[in-house]
Amino acid sequence: MLAALDHVQLAAPPGSEDRLRAYYSGVLGMTEVPKPPVLAARGGCWFEAGTVRLHLGIEEDFRPARKAHPGLRVTGIAAYAARLAARGAPVTWDDTLPGHRRFYSEDPVGNRLEFLEPTAPGPSPLAANAPHASVGTTTGNQP
């Protein structure tokens, strides 16, 4: 039986680790965690923030994920979007998901990322209807 989402893996091209570290740590505010030595030899980086875990794996014939993406719950979405924009990351707002504020961005190798925050307290209205896996929780006031 499924119990939880452990991590999401995204691909990246060879030699991109420094750019990934600058983005996932410096822009998103995640912490890099060491990969086990046998996996570290393959390249790539792992990052965490609370219960959110993103693994960036090296792929020789890399193509960025333009449609597939992780949906990352945040608190204080307006401030978080401003943080990304101030650090040079693209921010594209999308108001089409009922009950949420959200925007899209992309990492330095072109992978699409979604950031969202429910507009009402309590469980997401999507929880009962969608096979969409959310990571983390959110509380607080909307700007």
Side-chain angles (χ1 to χ4, degrees), residues 51-69:
T51 61
V52 177
R53 293 181 186 164
L54 295 177
H55 294 180
L56 282 291
I58 299 303
E59 188 173 287
E60 290 298 325
D61 188 23
F62 170 74
R63 285 176 292 151
R66 301 247 184 243
K67 181 70 175 170
H69 61 274

Side-chain angles (χ1 to χ4, degrees), residues 84-95:
L84 270 65
R87 289 167 171 81
V91 171
T92 304
W93 287 96
D94 179 353
D95 63 359

Side-chain angles (χ1 to χ4, degrees), residues 37-134:
V38 68
L39 298 178
R42 300 176 187 170
C45 314
W46 289 2
F47 300 94
E48 293 182 356
T51 61
V52 177
R53 293 181 186 164
L54 295 177
H55 294 180
L56 282 291
I58 299 303
E59 188 173 287
E60 290 298 325
D61 188 23
F62 170 74
R63 285 176 292 151
R66 301 247 184 243
K67 181 70 175 170
H69 61 274
L72 304 167
R73 287 246 184 122
V74 299
T75 58
I77 195 164
Y80 199 69
R83 172 193 172 101
L84 270 65
R87 289 167 171 81
V91 171
T92 304
W93 287 96
D94 179 353
D95 63 359
T96 60
L97 181 63
H100 291 79
R101 291 191 69 203
R102 71 176 174 173
F103 67 89
Y104 292 94
S105 190
E106 62 181 47
D107 71 12
V109 298
N111 289 313
R112 183 181 192 200
L113 303 169
E114 176 184 357
F115 300 90
L116 66 158
E117 182 175 41
T119 56
S124 166
L126 298 176
N129 299 324
H132 187 282
S134 295

